[in-house]
Structures are given as C-alpha cells and as structure tokens.
Amino acid sequence: EPEVTQTPSHQVTQMGQEVILRCVPISNHLYFYWYRQILGQKVEFLVSFYNNEISEKSEIFDDQFSVERPDGSNFTLKIRSTKLEDSAMYFCARGGDTHEQFFGPGTRLTVL
Amino acid sequence: ELKVEQNPLFLSMQEGKNYTIYCNYSTTSDRLYWYRQDPGKSLESLFVLLSNGAVKQEGRLMASLDTKARLSTLHITAAVHDLSATYFCAGETSGSRLTFGEGTQLTVNP
C-alpha cells in the first residue's frame, strides 16, 4: 500500500502554463517533501514542509514554485509558468517519526 | 554542502556473483539511506543507517556505514535477475533534506 498517492500520474502542458501537482497522504503526517528527477538523472530535493510551513528549500525552488496544503490534507506543488527544463518526474515523499522518507508513485510532467 | 558520489555508475554482473556498490559523501550526514528504483517507477526504501558501524541486511542485500571514512556500501550476495534496478544512496542533512548520489544501474544477467 503506497504511503502517499499522487495525481495526476502524467501531465502534459504547454510552456508558460501553470501546473498543480497533488500529493495525498494515506494518513496524517506532518513532514512532506517534493523531489524531482529529470529523465535518467539523479533525484533532486526541492522543498520540505513541516506543520504547514516550508522548512527548507533548494536553489531549484525559485519564485516559479510554491507549495501549500490548502485543505489540511492534499499537499500541492504549483509551477506558475512552466519551462521546457521543468519536464521531469516529481515525487512527493512523506516523513515520519523516524525521519525515513517514503516516496509516492510520482507525476511525470512533460512541458512542450 | 553535502555531496554524494556513487561508484560504479553502471554494473553488469552474472547471476550468482557477489559485488559491492560504494557511496562516498563529503561532509557529516545525519543518516544514510539506500533506495531502489525500477525503470519508470518510484523509489523504494531499502535501508536507513543511523550510526557508525551500522550494518543491515535484507535478503541478498547488506548495507553498512563507516562515518569516519564517510563511506557506505551496498553488498550484493549471489545476485539474481530480480535485483536488476538502479540503486541510490542518499545522505541526510539537517531539516531532513536528502542529497542523492547519481545512482548505480545494476543489470544481473542469467
């Protein structure tokens, strides 16, 4: 059973459009993370989110990105104006008391 | 800034053989993780290593951590085809941020 689910599984968008990627935890967790993986490359940290606030973000996470937990359940990653280089797999992960991170199935974002 | 390097990046081995994947990291890391990724899939957590000298084993995989050498190893014993995947190590810094290595693409041939 997945720890988190992500929707959509695949998103195709035009350059310059906004996209929202969603992460739905199976049970109540306080720690969430977003990572991305460009095809064939390593996994890169984007942002961590604790108790409904950003706790850390990477240099990749610029003003084009935002995260929120609008309804206290779903956890979203928004990219305001997508670029070609945003094409990647985006993984949501949840953390627990042991700090181990469990990854969701991912959303493949394709920017045309 | 934590840097994580794995080697080899590509590994082709025969079934039944043993091999080791190495993970070096540049600065103090709170924890060391190993993940497995099948093509087009997510990352599956294999091991979390918490302290110097930690050793964990699951089936044909064994992971160890030497914090003084800043080195973790993933040892494969008597490889089988089902182990073919990409294996990532990741170090954790404060804030629970994971920094991943480039991954080792393992192919086990019959």
Side-chain angles (χ1 to χ4, degrees):
Chain A
E1 184 183 1
E3 296 286 341
V4 293
T5 60
Q6 291 184 241
T7 59
S9 56
H10 190 191
Q11 173 89 48
V12 181
T13 189
Q14 296 290 325
M15 191 169 56
Q17 294 296 305
E18 175 183 285
V19 293
I20 296 177
L21 311 182
R22 291 183 172 81
C23 174
V24 183
I26 303 299
S27 55
N28 248 354
H29 295 291
L30 293 176
Y31 297 91
F32 291 95
Y33 311 85
W34 283 101
Y35 292 84
R36 78 171 186 191
Q37 184 180 31
I38 295 170
L39 184 64
Q41 298 187 23
K42 66 179 177 181
V43 180
E44 299 175 294
F45 169 80
L46 292 176
V47 65
S48 58
F49 199 77
Y50 170 67
N51 204 21
N52 297 326
E53 289 186 359
I54 290 176
S55 55
E56 189 176 357
K57 56 186 180 180
S58 73
E59 57 282 357
I60 302 170
F61 195 87
D62 60 20
D63 292 343
Q64 294 296 318
F65 291 89
S66 63
V67 289
E68 60 179 17
R69 201 174 185 189
D71 56 7
S73 176
N74 291 357
F75 177 49
T76 63
L77 174 70
K78 182 191 293 185
I79 309 174
R80 290 190 182 81
S81 178
T82 50
K83 308 181 186 71
L84 294 176
E85 55 264 36
D86 293 328
S87 295
M89 282 290 286
Y90 288 81
F91 293 105
C92 169
R94 71 95 176 160
D97 294 339
T98 61
H99 296 276
E100 189 171 358
Q101 295 183 27
F102 298 94
F103 284 71
T107 293
R108 178 174 298 282
L109 176 65
T110 302
V111 182
L112 303 176
Chain B
E1 181 189 346
L2 176 64
K3 294 190 191 311
V4 179
E5 290 186 357
Q6 288 180 237
N7 72 85
L9 298 183
F10 298 93
L11 177 56
S12 180
M13 55 191 297
Q14 282 190 308
E15 280 190 327
K17 299 293 186 182
N18 305 332
Y19 210 86
T20 301
I21 299 170
Y22 297 89
C23 175
N24 290 274
Y25 54 98
S26 59
T27 64
T28 301
S29 176
D30 293 337
R31 295 170 188 83
L32 200 293
Y33 298 78
W34 284 95
Y35 286 88
R36 168 183 171 145
Q37 187 179 40
D38 291 297
K41 303 293 186 183
S42 185
L43 292 108
E44 175 190 354
S45 179
L46 294 175
F47 301 108
V48 182
L49 302 169
L50 302 177
S51 59
N52 188 43
V55 176
K56 290 194 174 180
Q57 182 161 7
E58 181 73 35
R60 300 174 187 273
L61 301 177
M62 183 174 71
S64 66
L65 178 63
D66 180 343
T67 57
K68 293 177 183 174
R70 295 179 183 158
L71 171 68
S72 180
T73 61
L74 181 67
H75 187 72
I76 302 152
T77 302
V80 293
H81 180 70
D82 286 351
L83 290 179
S84 296
T86 298
Y87 293 84
F88 290 95
C89 66
E92 179 188 333
T93 52
S94 58
S96 300
R97 169 181 182 157
L98 294 186
T99 300
F100 283 81
E102 293 187 20
T104 297
Q105 187 175 317
L106 172 65
T107 304
V108 181
N109 303 304

